[in-house]
């Protein structure tokens, strides 16, 4: 390419960098720097975060563990977690709905898990599902470090589409009063329909879905708005440390099979 052609494209490149600078920063932090640190340390980011939590937090204090994870994500390595703004929305809804049983799909580093567990009513139970065994091992340690035993929070390792059909028989979950979808947005619709097919959603159940705007779950949102079985509300937020990148949590209320 000649210098003249390169110079001709320069204004376009500068314009794109300025317009999408927040996305470029996110790409650098979540892909490039993370991959480099994974190679250099031999550990995944959630394992490095757990090591940091062990030396900077108070065992048995879930609030302090959450604050420590936020500090790690903001000042050390971006964790791609729910973040405190969404976390407060989640905790408020759990306290408001007082569900006896909660199902979380996508434990990751147990950040949202701890918000839910803190807000459970007495005797409440949380089942959280994580497909990756290595990630689940870290999450299990964080959950127990926060002081929650298996009677309150049970972590299941497996693929959501394989776990959901076994929830009633193997895990004695006959109904999920509140569900958090926080795994892969492209799987939200499939797993919601599985929950419906296995009659795990009672009338009045609350379904929360994270990241419905970024990276987005358009088919899921279209289904819930058009099928006639859900009342929908969207809580608008931004990504943690990237408020210019708009995201949101969908809050659905299940009306029943109809």
């Amino acid at each position: 390419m000649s210098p003249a052609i390169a110079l001709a494209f320069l204004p376009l490149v500068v314009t794109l960098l300025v317009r999408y600078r927040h996305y470029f920063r996110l790409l650098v932090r979540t892909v490039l720097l993370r991959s480099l640190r994974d190679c250099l340390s031999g550990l995944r980011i959630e394992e490095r975060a757990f090591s940091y939590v062990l030396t900077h937090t108070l065992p048995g204090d879930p609030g302090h563990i959450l604050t420590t994870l936020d500090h790690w994500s903001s000042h050390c390595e971006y964790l791609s977690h729910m973040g405190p703004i969404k976390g407060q929305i989640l905790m408020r809804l759990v306290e408001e709905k007082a569900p006896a049983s909660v199902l979380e799909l996508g434990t990751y580093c147990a950040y949202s898990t701890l918000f839910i567990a803190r807000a459970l009513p007495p005797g409440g139970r949380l089942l959280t599902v994580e497909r990756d065994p290595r990630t689940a091992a870290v999450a299990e340690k964080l959950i127990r470090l926060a002081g929650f035993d298996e009677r309150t929070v049970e972590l299941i390792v497996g693929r959501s589409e394989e776990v959901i059909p076994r929830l009633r028989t193997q895990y004695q979950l006959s109904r999920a009063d509140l569900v958090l979808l926080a795994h892969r947005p492209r799987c939200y619709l499939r797993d919601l329909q599985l929950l419906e097919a296995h009659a795990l959603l009672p009338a009045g159940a609350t379904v929360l879905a994270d990241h419905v705007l970024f990276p987005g779950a358009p088919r899921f949102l279209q289904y819930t708005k058009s099928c006639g079985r859900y009342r929908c509300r969207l809580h608008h937020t931004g990504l943690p440390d990237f408020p210019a990148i708009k995201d949101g949590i969908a809050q659905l209320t299940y009306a029943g099979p109809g």
Side-chain angles (χ1 to χ4, degrees):
M1 180 183 294
S2 70
I5 296 176
L7 285 173
F9 278 100
L10 184 59
L12 175 61
V13 172
V14 172
T15 300
L16 290 175
L17 286 173
V18 171
R19 178 175 296 179
Y20 298 106
R21 63 190 182 278
H22 305 292
Y23 297 93
F24 283 119
R25 285 182 55 234
L26 180 64
L27 175 67
V28 169
R29 292 188 67 180
T30 58
V31 179
L32 301 181
L33 290 179
R34 183 177 299 179
S35 298
L36 177 61
R37 286 167 174 150
D38 287 353
C39 292
L40 292 176
S41 68
L43 300 172
R44 293 183 180 179
I45 184 172
E46 57 268 22
E47 294 169 329
R48 296 192 294 275
F50 177 68
S51 297
Y52 182 85
V53 166
L54 275 180
T55 56
H56 291 82
T57 196
L58 301 172
D61 187 341
H64 195 253
I65 292 174
L66 290 167
T67 301
T68 304
L69 287 170
D70 288 330
H71 185 273
W72 161 268
S73 184
S74 296
H75 296 89
C76 301
E77 300 181 50
Y78 188 66
L79 197 52
S80 302
H81 64 322
M82 176 177 278
I85 295 176
K86 290 181 181 177
Q88 290 299 323
I89 294 172
L90 173 61
M91 191 165 69
R92 175 176 56 80
L93 288 171
V94 175
E95 290 174 343
E96 176 185 311
K97 304 298 181 181
S101 55
V102 179
L103 174 65
E104 178 186 36
L105 302 181
T107 316
Y108 186 43
C109 63
Y111 185 88
S112 53
T113 310
L114 296 185
F115 267 108
I116 296 171
R118 291 176 74 193
L120 283 175
R125 181 188 181 209
L126 166 60
L127 290 180
T128 180
V129 181
E130 172 55 49
R131 62 177 286 162
D132 184 88
R134 193 167 167 182
T135 301
V138 174
E140 181 88 42
K141 293 174 185 176
L142 280 165
I143 293 166
R144 306 311 166 212
L145 183 68
F148 299 108
D149 60 25
E150 292 186 354
R151 291 172 298 177
T152 303
V153 181
E154 182 176 355
L155 194 154
I156 303 167
V157 182
R159 301 169 68 92
S160 56
E161 70 271 25
E162 297 172 356
V163 171
I164 290 172
R166 296 186 281 115
L167 286 172
R168 189 183 302 274
T169 56
Q170 188 169 341
Y171 299 99
Q172 292 74 54
L173 182 71
S174 59
R175 54 184 281 165
D177 301 309
L178 187 145
V179 177
L180 173 63
L181 305 176
H183 49 329
R184 300 185 177 190
R186 67 174 181 267
C187 300
Y188 287 1
L189 177 55
R190 178 201 67 197
D191 289 346
L192 181 68
Q193 292 175 331
L194 274 174
L195 291 168
E196 293 173 350
H198 289 274
L200 290 167
L201 294 177
T206 299
V207 178
L208 305 174
D210 195 10
H211 295 307
V212 292
L213 298 183
F214 184 85
R219 292 177 60 245
F220 169 82
L221 290 177
Q222 177 62 32
Y223 172 79
T224 57
K225 291 176 181 177
S226 64
C227 72
R229 292 190 291 275
Y230 295 93
R231 296 198 313 271
C232 304
R233 177 185 176 186
L234 187 60
H235 299 271
H236 290 272
T237 66
L239 292 187
D241 299 324
F242 295 91
I245 300 178
K246 300 306 179 184
D247 194 16
I249 295 180
Q251 177 186 346
L252 314 174
T253 303
Y254 184 56

